Amino acid sequence: MTHNGHLRTATAQDSAALLRLWGLLFDEDADREGPWRSHAAKWFARFVDDRDDARFPVIEVDGVVVATAIGTLELGVPNPQCTKGRSVRLANVITMTEHRGHGYGTALVLDVLNWARSIDADRIDLSATAEGQRLYDKLGFTLTAAPRMKFIL
């Protein structure tokens, strides 16, 4: 990596910085409070030290977290596309605008890929924005035919 970017694993002390970055994913004001933030903070505190079920790489520049990603293990029914039923969900890949173009996103995704291999996962699933799809294509991810759907409770 260039420009003094240092890849490391997030710690509990990174919670506020990660919540600010996650807010940027949804075009939220970095300092605006919202109900999702308290839930996200509790979720992060629960999983930050769980190396078997979650991975939180960050890029730090001059002591400031400027990029992050999340990998979480999802257990499902084994099937032909996921023979052990162990998939990793890659999410919240974000780099602060002023730090983009230095390979931080690639480094974060590769970190989650290596972690997924280390925990014996079958595959990695993600939802990509049009902007992020170029990165995933370059790393060998393929577009699936199955549409993604959701139901809000």
Side-chain angles (χ1 to χ4, degrees), residues 34-100:
W36 74 269
R37 288 181 188 268
S38 63
H39 291 291
K42 289 176 191 166
W43 174 84
F44 178 69
R46 182 172 151 217
F47 285 101
V48 65
D49 294 322
D50 184 349
R51 303 290 189 242
D52 293 328
D53 293 320
R55 179 76 179 161
F56 300 96
V58 297
I59 302 288
E60 191 175 69
V61 174
D62 298 327
V64 177
V65 174
V66 301
T68 190
I70 299 173
T72 53
L73 177 63
E74 296 179 347
L75 299 177
V77 178
N79 63 69
Q81 289 79 41
C82 193
T83 57
K84 293 173 266 183
R86 295 175 62 83
S87 61
V88 165
R89 168 74 49 197
L90 175 63
N92 293 29
V93 180
I94 179 87
T95 300
M96 293 172 71
T97 306
E98 61 272 24
H99 292 277
R100 292 183 182 162

Side-chain angles (χ1 to χ4, degrees), residues 121-134:
D122 293 302
R123 69 180 193 202
I124 296 182
D125 295 323
L126 62 87
S127 296
T129 62
E131 170 182 356
Q133 191 170 345
R134 211 175 62 243

Side-chain angles (χ1 to χ4, degrees), residues 2-21:
T2 60
H3 301 285
N4 300 322
H6 170 69
L7 175 71
R8 65 172 176 81
T9 302
T11 66
Q13 290 74 33
D14 293 312
S15 181
L18 293 182
L19 285 168
R20 274 193 299 279
L21 282 170

